[in-house]
Amino acid sequence: MKLDLSWYWRKICALRQSLSKGQILADGHKGKFKASLLYNSTILRQLVLYSGAVWNSVNMPKHRFML
């Protein structure tokens, strides 16, 4: 038995209180809960356009290929 089991339990309980039941039910897939879907729905994402860095006129073709 792990000694830090209570730490995990406290984190799960805190997470449970911060999420709504609708959020948890919405992140199911074919009737099964998927933790990855819940995680992806709760994190903040930023859209980053790398095309500006790759196709910059200052970059050499070799650097464009590596990017």
Side-chain angles (χ1 to χ4, degrees):
M1 185 169 143
K2 288 190 170 193
L3 297 175
D4 59 349
L5 185 61
S6 63
W7 179 84
Y8 293 119
W9 184 251
R10 285 192 306 253
K11 290 292 184 180
I12 290 172
C13 290
L15 183 63
R16 182 178 175 206
Q17 292 173 356
S18 68
L19 297 172
S20 69
K21 187 175 182 178
Q23 261 183 316
I24 295 171
L25 292 175
D27 293 323
H29 180 69
K30 296 182 181 178
K32 293 184 179 180
F33 175 75
K34 295 251 184 191
S36 61
L37 293 175
L38 180 64
Y39 175 77
N40 287 333
S41 70
T42 57
I43 61 172
L44 298 174
R45 297 184 208 171
Q46 291 181 342
L47 181 61
V48 180
L49 298 175
Y50 292 105
S51 61
V54 174
W55 299 112
N56 190 345
S57 63
V58 180
N59 285 345
M60 295 172 53
K62 177 181 177 180
H63 296 156
R64 288 181 187 153
F65 177 75
M66 288 192 293
L67 283 172

